Amino acid sequence: MSFEHLDIILIGVAILGVGILVSLLRLFLGPTSPDRVVALDTINTLVVGMMIGLGAYYEEVVFIDIGIVYAILSFVTTLFIARFISTRKEKEVGP
Amino acid sequence: MDLSAFLYDAVHFIVLLGIIGSAFLVVKFKDLVSATIALAACSLLVSLEFFILQAPDVAIAEAAVGAGLTTAILIFAIKGTRRREEY
């Protein structure tokens, strides 16, 4: 079995995808909301990594720009949720 | 089967599995902030799916609306009401 360099990029992207599934498990299990926010932020970072890897696989420069835009927007989203959680003190149990 | 095609299908399958799982979580959660977080994850993965299907303009619109606007507006709405959904 011989590996092309594009195959190696795809292997890396597939490993990042497995990481997304594991983070979804944490988003499912996580007992409190901060756990879920951290899981969402991990998924954000992994998806940006997948977008960059797939942009290298397709050999298109435009696809890298989408990764940059997504990185900025996901940061804003996480900031909003984190501010809401930090300002509102409330007891919570389970999903 | 070619190795490259197999890996491509594997990535595609993983992303679709993540979309289904996070959409199930949106319905399941009774804590509204958790449901909003799951919705953000779902729209994130849908954007990645558009990306894999080589539609970069649709992916960038989905990223702007799904990740940026929807989550912020829903958080503002939850701030005005109760946090937990009643059974």
Side-chain angles (χ1 to χ4, degrees):
Chain A
M1 185 187 297
S2 67
F3 289 115
E4 304 282 332
H5 76 288
L6 289 180
D7 286 351
I8 294 177
I9 289 174
L10 268 186
I11 289 173
V13 170
I15 291 174
L16 290 178
V18 173
I20 285 180
L21 288 186
V22 175
S23 302
L24 270 180
L25 196 64
R26 173 46 69 194
L27 203 150
F28 173 60
L29 292 175
T32 60
S33 287
D35 291 330
R36 296 195 170 104
V37 177
V38 172
L40 177 69
D41 204 34
T42 310
I43 294 175
N44 278 331
T45 311
L46 289 174
V47 163
V48 170
M50 280 180 83
M51 281 179 174
I52 301 296
L54 284 172
Y57 175 72
Y58 292 137
E59 294 179 341
E60 296 243 11
V61 186
V62 187
F63 285 19
I64 309 291
D65 297 340
I66 301 168
I68 294 172
V69 169
Y70 204 89
I72 296 171
L73 288 175
S74 68
F75 171 70
V76 171
T77 302
T78 312
L79 205 64
F80 260 108
I81 302 174
R83 252 196 56 197
F84 174 75
I85 288 177
S86 68
T87 53
R88 169 90 54 110
K89 296 288 181 197
E90 199 173 318
K91 283 283 183 186
E92 57 162 328
V93 282
Chain B
M1 194 180 205
D2 194 10
L3 176 67
S4 179
F6 170 71
L7 283 172
Y8 189 75
D9 286 348
V11 170
H12 208 146
F13 183 74
I14 285 172
V15 172
L16 288 174
L17 206 64
I19 290 173
I20 293 174
S22 55
F24 170 71
L25 290 183
V26 175
V27 182
K28 181 182 168 295
F29 283 148
K30 295 296 179 189
D31 185 10
L32 290 177
V33 175
S34 300
T36 306
I37 292 169
L39 180 67
C42 185
S43 75
L44 173 67
L45 290 171
V46 167
S47 170
L48 185 61
E49 175 65 26
F50 285 140
F51 191 93
I52 290 175
L53 292 175
Q54 303 196 27
D57 41 357
V58 187
I60 212 165
E62 174 69 32
V65 174
L69 273 177
T70 309
T71 311
I73 290 173
L74 282 175
I75 287 292
F76 274 129
I78 293 172
K79 204 180 281 185
T81 58
R82 269 198 300 264
R83 178 167 168 173
R84 288 193 64 84
E85 183 180 349
E86 283 161 12
Y87 289 86

